[in-house]
Amino acid sequence: MVSRKVLTLVLVTRPNQVLLGMKKRGFGEGWWNGFGGKVEKGETIIEAAKRELQEECCLTANTLTEVGQLDFEFVGDPQILEVHLFTTKDVSGVPTETSEMKPQWFDIDKIPFHKMWPDDKLWFPHVLKGSKFSAFFLFEGHHKILKHKIDVVTEQ
Ligand code: 6U4
Ligand code: NA
Ligand code: NA
């Protein structure tokens, strides 16, 4: 049976820069990524996105804008990961390293795609333009994309 696991991913931006975190453990360890994780029972997706941002880098999101959904299938695994992607410019606090993530600001022309999930280079340009989109990726292992499709919902 195909099941879906719902996750969140938050990109914090400021002019010409995006905040990424080096994942120190677990899924995606060793790669730079936005902040996020599993939606828990009894919370909304937005509540989960805010909680994970707080837990992983000590920032409070005052607003979040939903910009896209990323669905990931892995060959041999019946579980689809459904990742809800948000952006925000409006946060309180200071990015702080935690046991899960080490945050760092990157210039948008110096995003370290070679040390990120391989799908990121495909959809980041849409986010940076302000487009909304829905995407699907079929992975073999964690490094190889066999198929992908990105549908832009609102073009910018
Ligand atoms: P626990 O088990 O509680 O430590 P949790 O923090 O809930 O885990 P985690 O860290 O496994 O969840 O969440 C994975 C994070 O990685 C989510 O923010 C979604 C994100 N993610 C998963 N696949 C991705 C991919 N292919 N590209 C990407 N982000 C991905 O950019
Ligand atoms: Na996480
Ligand atoms: Na979590």
Side-chain angles (χ1 to χ4, degrees), residues 72-114:
F72 299 101
E73 183 183 340
F74 295 87
V75 171
D77 185 345
Q79 182 164 258
I80 306 276
L81 300 187
E82 179 183 309
V83 177
H84 291 256
L85 176 64
F86 301 87
T87 56
T88 180
K89 298 186 228 259
D90 185 11
V91 293
S92 304
V94 177
T96 303
E97 182 171 353
T98 62
S99 59
E100 275 198 72
M101 289 286 230
K102 182 181 163 64
Q104 188 178 309
W105 290 102
F106 289 89
D107 290 348
I108 57 169
D109 60 355
K110 288 181 192 128
I111 294 173
F113 289 119
H114 58 292

Side-chain angles (χ1 to χ4, degrees), residues 11-97:
L11 294 172
V12 179
T13 63
R14 64 186 188 188
N16 205 43
Q17 290 193 317
V18 60
L19 184 71
L20 299 173
M22 168 51 66
K23 190 87 165 18
K24 294 163 68 173
R25 63 174 197 216
F27 198 66
E29 181 178 340
W31 280 340
W32 293 99
N33 205 352
F35 303 92
K38 296 172 208 68
V39 177
E40 288 172 2
K41 274 206 187 75
E43 68 182 356
T44 64
I45 294 172
I46 296 241
E47 285 166 353
K50 290 186 175 178
R51 174 183 51 73
E52 290 280 350
L53 180 70
Q54 177 73 51
E55 285 177 4
E56 293 187 341
C57 73
C58 309
L59 288 179
T60 303
N62 301 313
T63 59
L64 285 177
T65 304
E66 181 147 28
V67 298
Q69 184 175 323
L70 306 161
D71 284 355
F72 299 101
E73 183 183 340
F74 295 87
V75 171
D77 185 345
Q79 182 164 258
I80 306 276
L81 300 187
E82 179 183 309
V83 177
H84 291 256
L85 176 64
F86 301 87
T87 56
T88 180
K89 298 186 228 259
D90 185 11
V91 293
S92 304
V94 177
T96 303
E97 182 171 353

